[in-house]
Amino acid sequence: MTKNGIRTIANVTCIALIGAAAAMTLAGCMQTPEEKAAFAARQAAPTPVVMNATKGEAPTQSGLSHYKDGYPGFGAPLTAANVQMSDDEAGGLQKKLTALGAQRNAGTISEAEYLRRVAEYRKLAAEHGAETLSEIAN
């Protein structure tokens, strides 16, 4: 084999390896539509909530620290927007619901009473969020 033949084989091999490396690199960059949608959802900005001052009063200072010019500073740790349910409250509600189910299974309350209470709890669950938001807004 001549020098030119060996050089040609080496060049072809080199080009093939570069092409294979490029193909593998591009294959690693491909994403499914679900992965693209999940990535876009993570990158989307959160929806802002604007709360107006109530009854013409000046808005109160939030839990954020403020600079001298009045702009909020985000260096201080944030607090919850609302009071969270305590473990005792959650346990109490769980006991109530467990007792209601046990009474139904034991037959100590009528089916109509059980359904009335279930409807009451479902109505509370459906309306409580909207009522609380309206109280916060006013």
Side-chain angles (χ1 to χ4, degrees):
M1 212 172 218
T2 64
K3 217 179 207 184
N4 286 339
I6 293 173
R7 183 171 288 151
T8 303
I9 292 173
N11 285 341
V12 169
T13 304
C14 183
I15 291 172
L17 289 174
I18 291 171
M24 286 189 288
T25 302
L26 291 175
C29 294
M30 298 181 75
Q31 296 178 340
T32 64
E34 293 82 16
E35 291 171 331
K36 288 179 182 178
F39 179 77
R42 287 192 309 267
Q43 297 300 318
T47 304
V49 177
V50 178
M51 307 272 308
N52 297 326
T54 59
K55 300 174 187 160
E57 301 168 359
T60 59
Q61 293 287 341
S62 65
L64 299 173
S65 62
H66 287 76
Y67 295 108
K68 293 177 189 174
D69 57 6
Y71 288 100
F74 297 99
L78 299 174
T79 58
N82 198 356
V83 178
Q84 303 297 310
M85 180 185 292
S86 69
D87 291 338
D88 295 335
E89 289 175 314
L93 288 173
Q94 184 175 7
K95 286 178 186 175
K96 277 185 183 178
L97 294 174
T98 304
L100 180 61
Q103 288 174 349
R104 179 184 186 205
N105 292 338
T108 55
I109 65 169
S110 67
E111 186 68 19
E113 176 65 16
Y114 173 80
L115 293 176
R116 184 191 68 77
R117 288 187 187 177
V118 168
E120 178 183 331
Y121 290 137
R122 286 186 178 154
K123 180 181 176 190
L124 177 65
E127 296 174 356
H128 180 69
E131 289 175 4
T132 304
L133 284 177
S134 68
E135 286 176 13
I136 292 170
N138 294 325

